[in-house]
Amino acid sequence: MKNLPQKVRSRKLTSRVDLTAMVSVSFLLIIFFMLVGELAKPKVMDLNLPDRFRGCGGEPIASCFIADRFYTVILGDNDKIITYSGILSPDPLEKPTETEFSKNKFRTELTAFNNKMLKYSASIGKPNRGAIVFIKPSTKSNYGNLVDILEEMRLANINTYTIVDDFTPEESKLLASN
């Protein structure tokens, strides 16, 4: 018999897909979305606000000893700070004073007042009740000063403070005169 040409069989190649690049891209996408998700979270600062301002037996706070714990910080223009303790209208514990943003001035005064209140509250059997600070930024104060004051609250270990946007007539006169 004659040699018939044999059928040439083609070799079957194994099909393999290299997924190395796909895995790399997947990990990059996962990292990207994790980072974007973390950066998209709102950044907020915790504020410790005081309890309702009712004192001894439901009387208004002004007639209570707790008003002695009040410390008010008024932010004016040109980095001006006016502070007083107590309630301004009838008779403040200390006369309103103008102070400045510095470690040796405002922070020292604030820390001293808070320590005095902590000692007083411990002596009457109610420990860990420091100063209650009211921060009142005026319309002429800048945002940076408010942030600086909030940082001072943290550094002075003040746990109870609030930001108030309304001024009493006496405080408005005080701010206008300085």
Side-chain angles (χ1 to χ4, degrees), residues 113-138:
F113 184 79
N114 190 39
N115 289 338
K116 184 172 87 171
M117 290 300 112
L118 287 170
K119 284 180 187 174
Y120 174 72
S121 66
S123 70
I124 63 170
K126 296 182 178 183
N128 300 326
R129 292 191 176 190
I132 298 172
V133 179
F134 294 96
I135 304 167
K136 297 187 175 189
S138 69

Side-chain angles (χ1 to χ4, degrees), residues 137-149:
S138 69
T139 56
K140 295 181 181 178
S141 66
N142 61 33
Y143 183 72
N145 289 348
L146 180 61
V147 172
D148 290 341
I149 290 294

